[in-house]
């Protein structure tokens, strides 16, 4: 099997320094524009994808985590009140360098290349399939590995009869860390290198918003990590709630503001600062403070604290949420924990109760179409990275544990979907409202094996056997001919 060295698993500080180079950075290019997106004349580094979900809040019903129809059986297009689009980044084309990829041993390289030369039909099929993995509840529980995940990724990394890499990407509604730091963490847990070039968090596509807004309030996450994320994405003036509390502690009467928070804050006179947008990057660590500051800004005159808008709708600044999941699987033994979706629903209800009008907001993350469109961009680039072919595989398999995001999103985007019961979904039957097209599986390994067998045939070997390759008559004949 290909292996990777300790250099591939460097510490968080090192990866943070590389953030500007390794993040999926928007760049002007001549790459294709996805059929379900359009170019922006004012923002040439982005692709604007029409929103799948209604921008109107769900506070009136609070019946479901998504504003699209909750059942795939009676699915219909959802309306969008003001035709919002979700910008996503254009990606730079891969360079000839391959940072983050495992070093390939020469012997393996030679044998695998020969095996693939002798099985071109199988190689073509293998390159025409790909996987998109949710992470929490599919590969890991928090920092704890789901054991079957390592073998599943090993097969895709080349532990198969052709020694071929079957492309895969990570598509998670998780958030709150810089992509290089999260990839380094995952690499250690999974025992397999994870490149930022194959990795999408819920807020990764939101990097495109840096072209639209200058001064933004970023909410959520541990400490000041989300400020670092936003700055790495290119936002020029990033405010976090603690900056505002340090300026005026009375704005959050229930907050105990500690010395370390004050030392890290960047207070200023926010009556003279126009905050142009609110970006909820990750789960809130202080609902009361975040709710209060967001409410004050949304009721202000164009994001200037200390003011009250005469028309709270026309003068309201936009608010973006990185994802909409109600629940997230963790290491907790008694079921998933509440996620950013519950924070959003609570805020929507609060806003409606105080203002009398529904909140308009935009949601990224699964199952939003913009996230899957961006995933196509990432997958096409990853294909060029590992196979030098800028082609999008036709048969993509989404493996997830949440029917309301992973499965419904994959189904709507035309991907094949596999539901596993190691996370949010724990029943013994496929979800009735949002059934996975490929069915229910005990774990990610069973899902991967099933999908590979479907594409490659039941006799395709899921282990690399160098001795078998070397013993093959065709291989011997070819080797003699070369000599």
């Amino acid at each position: 099997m290909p292996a990777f060295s300790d250099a591939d698993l460097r510490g968080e500080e090192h990866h943070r320094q590389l953030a500007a180079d390794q993040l999926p950075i928007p760049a002007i290019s001549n790459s294709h524009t996805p059929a379900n997106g359009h170019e922006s004349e004012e923002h040439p580094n982005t692709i604007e994808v029409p929103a799948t979900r209604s921008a109107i809040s769900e506070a009136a019903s609070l019946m479901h985590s998504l504003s699209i129809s909750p059942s795939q059986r009676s699915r219909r297009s959802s309306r969008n009140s003001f035709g919002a689009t979700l910008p996503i980044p254009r990606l730079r084309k891969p360079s000839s360098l391959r940072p983050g990829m495992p070093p390939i041993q020469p012997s393996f390289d030679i044998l695998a290349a020969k095996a693939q030369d002798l099985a071109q039909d199988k190689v073509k099929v293998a390159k025409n399939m790909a996987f998109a993995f949710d992470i929490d509840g599919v590969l890991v529980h928090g920092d704890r590995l789901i054991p079957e995940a390592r073998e599943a990724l090993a097969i895709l990394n080349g532990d198969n009869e052709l020694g071929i890499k079957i492309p895969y990407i990570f598509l998670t509604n998780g958030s709150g860390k810089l992509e290089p730091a999260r990839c380094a963490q995952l690499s250690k847990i999974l025992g397999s290198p994870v490149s930022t070039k194959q990795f999408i968090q819920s807020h990764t596509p939101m990097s495109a918003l840096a072209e639209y807004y200058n001064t933004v309030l970023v909410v959520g996450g541990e400490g000041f990590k989300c400020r670092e994320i936003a700055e790495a994405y290119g936002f020029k003036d990033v405010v976090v709630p603690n900056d505002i509390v340090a300026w005026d502690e009375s704005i959050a009467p229930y907050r105990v503001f500690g010395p370390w928070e004050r030392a890290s804050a960047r207070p200023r006179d926010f009556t003279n600062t126009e905050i142009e947008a609110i970006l909820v990057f990750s789960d809130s660590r202080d609902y009361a403070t975040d709710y209060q500051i967001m409410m004050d800004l949304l009721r202000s005159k164009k994001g200037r604290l200390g003011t009250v808008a005469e028309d709270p709708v026309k003068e309201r600044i936009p608010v973006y949420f990185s994802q909409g999941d109600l629940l997230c699987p963790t290491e907790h033994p008694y079921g998933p924990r509440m996620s950013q979706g519950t924070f959003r629903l609570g805020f929507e209800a609060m806003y409606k109760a105080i203002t009398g009008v529904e909140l308009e907001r935009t949601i990224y993350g699964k199952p939003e179409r913009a996230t899957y469109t961006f995933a196509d961009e990432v997958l096409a680039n990853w294909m060029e990275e590992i196979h030098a072919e800028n082609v999008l595989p036709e048969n993509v398999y989404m493996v997830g544990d949440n029917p309301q995001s992973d499965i419904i999103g994959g189904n709507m985007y035309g991907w094949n979907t596999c539901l596993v019961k190691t996370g949010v979904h724990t029943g013994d039957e496929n979800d009735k409202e949002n059934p996975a097209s490929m069915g229910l599986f005990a774990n990610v390994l069973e899902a991967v094996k099933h999908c590979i067998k479907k594409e490659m045939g039941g006799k395709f070997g899921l282990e690399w056997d160098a001795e078998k390759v070397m013993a093959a008559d065709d291989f011997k004949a070819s080797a003699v001919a070369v000599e």
Side-chain angles (χ1 to χ4, degrees):
M1 267 302 295
F4 63 100
S5 66
D6 292 338
D8 293 312
L9 301 177
R10 296 177 184 175
E12 181 172 331
E13 190 63 32
H14 169 77
H15 288 280
R16 184 172 297 164
Q17 293 173 2
L18 297 179
D21 295 327
Q22 293 191 359
L23 286 175
I25 303 173
I28 299 175
S29 70
N30 295 319
S31 62
H32 71 283
T33 299
N36 55 0
H38 63 268
E39 295 180 353
S40 168
E41 294 182 2
E42 296 182 7
H43 305 283
N45 294 345
T46 64
I47 301 167
E48 295 182 346
V49 183
T52 305
R53 290 178 279 203
S54 170
I56 302 299
S57 82
E58 301 149 24
S61 61
L62 303 184
M63 293 298 292
H64 197 265
S65 61
L66 308 176
S67 53
I68 51 181
S69 175
S71 174
Q72 290 262 288
R73 296 176 303 176
S74 59
R75 190 174 74 247
R76 56 184 173 82
S77 298
S78 61
R79 69 182 182 87
N80 187 287
S81 63
F82 60 108
T85 58
L86 281 69
I88 60 175
R90 288 190 182 279
L91 299 185
R92 288 178 178 171
K93 292 184 178 180
S95 67
S96 58
L97 300 177
R98 300 171 61 190
M101 290 298 297
I104 300 175
Q105 301 298 327
S107 59
F108 174 85
D109 194 14
I110 294 171
L111 290 174
K114 183 56 64 176
Q116 293 165 30
D117 284 343
L118 298 175
Q120 287 298 310
D121 289 342
K122 288 184 178 180
V123 170
K124 184 177 180 181
V125 174
K127 289 182 179 180
N128 200 32
M129 69 179 298
F131 288 85
F133 292 110
D134 180 41
I135 295 176
D136 292 304
V138 175
L139 305 174
V140 301
H141 288 138
D143 292 333
R144 181 167 55 87
L145 174 73
I146 294 176
E148 294 82 6
R150 283 190 177 177
E151 185 176 347
L153 296 185
I155 292 171
L156 301 181
N157 284 334
D159 191 7
N160 55 66
E161 72 173 55
L162 295 178
I164 192 171
K165 295 181 183 297
I166 298 175
Y168 63 91
I169 61 173
F170 300 90
L171 184 59
T172 174
N173 273 354
S175 59
K177 284 188 175 183
L178 281 164
E179 282 80 354
R182 180 62 168 144
C183 288
Q185 178 190 27
L186 273 175
S187 295
K188 293 177 181 178
I189 297 172
L190 296 173
S192 178
V194 177
S195 169
T196 57
K197 295 183 178 181
Q198 63 182 146
F199 183 77
I200 305 170
Q201 297 185 96
S202 63
H203 49 59
T204 305
M206 294 174 74
S207 61
L209 295 173
E211 288 199 9
Y212 294 75
Y213 305 109
N214 183 51
T215 302
V216 295
L217 174 74
V218 174
V219 176
E222 297 178 7
F224 297 89
K225 288 182 180 179
C226 284
R227 190 206 300 274
E228 297 174 355
I229 295 168
E231 290 175 344
Y233 286 171
F235 288 95
K236 296 179 178 63
D237 185 16
V238 182
V239 178
V240 297
N242 277 354
D243 299 339
I244 297 172
V245 177
W247 164 66
D248 180 3
E249 290 189 31
S250 68
I251 202 167
Y254 308 113
R255 177 66 180 273
V256 177
F257 203 55
W260 73 269
E261 294 169 311
R262 183 176 299 282
S264 303
R266 302 176 187 173
R268 70 180 89 164
D269 184 357
F270 285 100
T271 61
N272 292 322
T273 301
E274 286 192 2
I275 294 175
E276 300 168 21
I278 299 171
L279 312 179
V280 182
F281 267 15
S282 187
D283 293 341
S284 170
R285 268 57 174 183
D286 184 351
Y287 276 40
T289 299
D290 292 344
Y291 276 166
Q292 185 65 67
I293 291 173
M294 290 170 64
M295 187 68 68
D296 287 350
L297 282 172
L298 290 172
R299 297 179 67 202
S300 69
K301 287 181 177 290
K302 299 181 179 180
R304 191 183 292 269
L305 288 171
T307 67
V308 178
E310 296 177 5
D311 187 329
V313 175
K314 290 184 178 180
E315 297 182 86
R316 181 174 56 199
I317 63 175
V319 55
Y320 296 84
F321 293 85
S322 71
Q323 55 102 343
D325 286 354
L326 288 179
L327 299 174
C328 176
T330 68
E331 297 180 19
H332 187 70
Y334 299 111
R337 304 291 88 190
M338 293 187 294
S339 187
Q340 190 184 135
T342 57
F343 175 83
R344 173 180 56 82
L345 288 175
F347 185 73
E348 290 173 357
M350 187 182 303
Y351 183 87
K352 174 67 179 293
I354 291 175
T355 66
V357 297
E358 298 285 2
L359 175 68
E360 291 190 19
R361 77 288 186 272
T362 302
I363 308 172
Y364 278 80
K366 297 173 293 186
E368 183 56 55
R369 181 167 56 200
T371 293
Y372 288 84
T373 304
F374 183 62
D376 272 351
E377 294 274 303
V378 171
L379 188 53
N381 275 262
W382 189 242
M383 274 291 291
E384 187 167 352
E385 184 80 16
I386 64 174
H387 290 309
E389 297 180 9
N390 191 8
V391 178
L392 186 65
E394 295 180 3
N395 304 307
V396 181
Y397 292 87
M398 176 77 223
V399 183
D401 67 301
N402 191 337
Q404 295 179 3
S405 60
D406 303 323
I407 304 306
I408 193 173
N411 287 346
M412 291 178 64
Y413 199 63
W415 287 356
N416 305 295
T417 51
C418 303
L419 180 62
V420 295
K421 52 182 184 178
T422 50
V424 171
H425 185 87
T426 56
D428 291 327
E429 297 181 358
N430 201 345
D431 188 74
K432 295 181 179 180
E433 298 300 323
N434 305 298
S437 61
M438 300 303 297
L440 176 68
F441 300 90
N443 53 61
V444 63
L445 178 60
E446 295 304 314
V448 166
K449 286 181 176 180
H450 177 86
C451 297
I452 291 178
K453 295 290 186 182
K454 175 180 178 295
E455 297 294 334
M456 304 296 296
K459 295 182 179 180
F460 183 75
L462 299 180
E463 292 183 1
W464 169 253
D465 189 341
E467 292 183 2
K468 181 178 180 181
V469 174
M470 294 181 68
D473 291 338
D474 289 340
F475 180 80
K476 290 179 180 179
S478 178
V480 171
V482 171
E483 294 176 356

